[in-house]
Amino acid sequence: MLISSLRTTIFCGCRSAGKGFQYSTRSPLRKWLLKRGHSTVTVEGGTSTSAAAAASVPNAASNRIVGRWLLGCSGLVVGAIVLGGVTRLTESGLSMVDWHLVREMKPPQSEGEWEAEFSKYQQFPEFKILNHNMTLPEFKFIFYMEWGHRMWGRLVGLAYILPTIYFWKKGYFTRSMKGKVLGLCGFVFFQGLLGWYMVKSGLEEKPESHDIPRVSQYRLSAHLGSALLLYCASMWTGLTLLLPAHRIAETKKLMQLRRFAKGTGGLVFLTALSGAFVAGLDAGLVYNSFPKMADRWIPDDLLAFSPTLKNFFENPTTVQFDHRILGITSLTAITGLYLFSRRMMLPKRAKIAISLLAAMAYTQVALGIATLLLYVPTPLAATHQSGSVALLSLAIWVLAELRRMPK
């Protein structure tokens, strides 16, 4: 009798507790958490549809995963930029005269396959004019440089596309994020096509030109510029997902600092892009002195080409002069940003980002001057190009720290 009474009491108590739990999950707190997307708890007594919907809502944990993925992708893009710069400095970019998405993923294996690939390269201007004494081992080196760059590009594409499919199915993306990741994946595909379009310009016969074969500086700058845009978009999106916005009072000084930082970031991007014209025209090999150019502040052949506008994109002297001016202007702007920020009360992370940006700016200018004075040695030139990406990264970090709180 006593055992039967206890059993009845426990059963009724469990039913009451279950009803209380169900009621609590319908409380205003529960609704607020679901709306904010921070809850992953599903109600046992609810329908399977509502449980699946709650599980698919992007939350803080999924945002962290997506943010880290995008930062990882941006790191791979940096690797592609650096490897592309080394490929350009070693004059390896024209060694692969075909473009096949899958077939070229496997390099030549036998000696006969290497000979066949070398004979194809011998039919194009770079071998005929510049490398007519090249041996097969020397060709293998430049081939592997370009092959590595192309394979890295395919790795970047897979790193964007495959996780996008997975995260999409898991429901990790908001509606706005879906548009962003689709844009990033499309940009990766466009970047690959643009790379081959660039290489084609160096494989064309140009009887009217007596210059050494090289890719078009316009296409090279477009290829680098699109890579930098892809990198900036990925890094910005990743940082905004990982770093919470600071609650800073919207004062007039803060708005001025934010505009100053945006202008400085744009200037850093433009300076990095102008470096592509320097590389495309080998402009670093003229006027290897600093601060003057052949004992003159303004060289005589600065506007030697006609029409005048042509000098800014095709005259090596003008291209190097412009890169110098942009570099010094960027350094001045970053210094001003640092000094202006010291007069304000900013969060610790923002102060660290601005300080690192200023330190990197002076390092980058020193690398650029050393590269010029030493006649562009490959290791130093590659470090200088990597420094431009590091400087751009810090500028993006500063902008992420100073962004407005979402409404």
Side-chain angles (χ1 to χ4, degrees), residues 230-257:
L230 176 64
Y231 172 70
C232 291
S234 301
M235 186 176 183
W236 169 262
T237 309
L239 286 178
T240 53
L241 288 173
L242 289 173
L243 299 178
H246 295 291
R247 296 183 179 276
I248 316 174
E250 288 290 328
T251 62
K252 184 179 180 181
K253 278 191 174 182
L254 177 62
M255 290 188 288
Q256 290 175 343
L257 180 66

Side-chain angles (χ1 to χ4, degrees), residues 257-311:
L257 180 66
R258 191 178 286 136
R259 286 195 295 268
F260 197 174
K262 289 178 180 178
T264 302
L267 194 57
V268 170
F269 183 91
L270 187 61
T271 305
L273 191 60
S274 72
F277 283 92
V278 175
L281 293 170
D282 290 327
L285 297 175
V286 298
Y287 294 105
N288 296 92
S289 58
F290 189 86
K292 293 184 178 181
M293 300 175 71
D295 298 325
R296 297 179 65 91
W297 290 107
I298 301 177
D300 294 333
D301 56 340
L302 188 67
L303 300 176
F305 291 8
S306 182
T308 303
L309 186 61
K310 190 177 181 180
N311 289 277

Side-chain angles (χ1 to χ4, degrees), residues 18 21-26 30 33-34 38-57 59:
F21 175 74
Q22 290 180 11
Y23 177 78
S24 67
T25 59
R26 297 187 183 95
R30 164 71 176 177
L33 287 172
L34 282 174
H38 291 290
S39 176
T40 57
V41 179
T42 58
V43 183
E44 186 179 357
T47 63
S48 59
T49 304
S50 61
S56 66
V57 174
N59 51 48

Side-chain angles (χ1 to χ4, degrees), residues 180 250 341 394 407:
K180 292 176 183 178
E250 288 290 328
S341 69
L394 291 168
K407 295 181 179 179

Side-chain angles (χ1 to χ4, degrees), residues 256-271 324-342 353-355 357-362 365 391 395 398-399 402:
Q256 290 175 343
L257 180 66
R258 191 178 286 136
R259 286 195 295 268
F260 197 174
K262 289 178 180 178
T264 302
L267 194 57
V268 170
F269 183 91
L270 187 61
T271 305
R324 290 184 183 212
I325 296 300
L326 285 170
I328 295 171
T329 306
S330 296
L331 179 65
T332 305
I334 291 172
T335 304
L337 180 71
Y338 172 79
L339 295 175
F340 186 73
S341 69
R342 304 311 290 179
I354 295 174
S355 299
L357 177 66
M360 188 63 220
Y362 282 90
V365 169
L391 191 64
V398 170
L399 291 173
L402 297 178

Side-chain angles (χ1 to χ4, degrees), residues 137-202:
E138 291 171 335
F139 171 73
K140 288 182 179 181
F141 171 77
I142 63 171
F143 183 93
Y144 273 123
M145 287 296 302
E146 174 64 9
W147 180 82
H149 181 52
R150 295 192 188 189
M151 292 306 103
W152 192 276
R154 284 163 174 76
L155 176 63
V156 172
L158 292 176
Y160 274 95
I161 295 170
L162 294 182
T164 294
I165 297 172
Y166 175 77
F167 293 145
W168 194 298
K169 289 183 177 180
K170 294 284 286 184
Y172 283 9
F173 298 143
T174 61
R175 181 177 296 180
S176 62
M177 185 59 66
K178 287 179 180 179
K180 292 176 183 178
V181 295
L182 284 177
L184 292 174
C185 291
F187 215 73
V188 172
F189 181 73
F190 169 75
Q191 175 72 357
L193 293 178
L194 192 57
W196 173 240
Y197 180 65
M198 176 193 70
V199 170
K200 280 186 66 178
S201 66

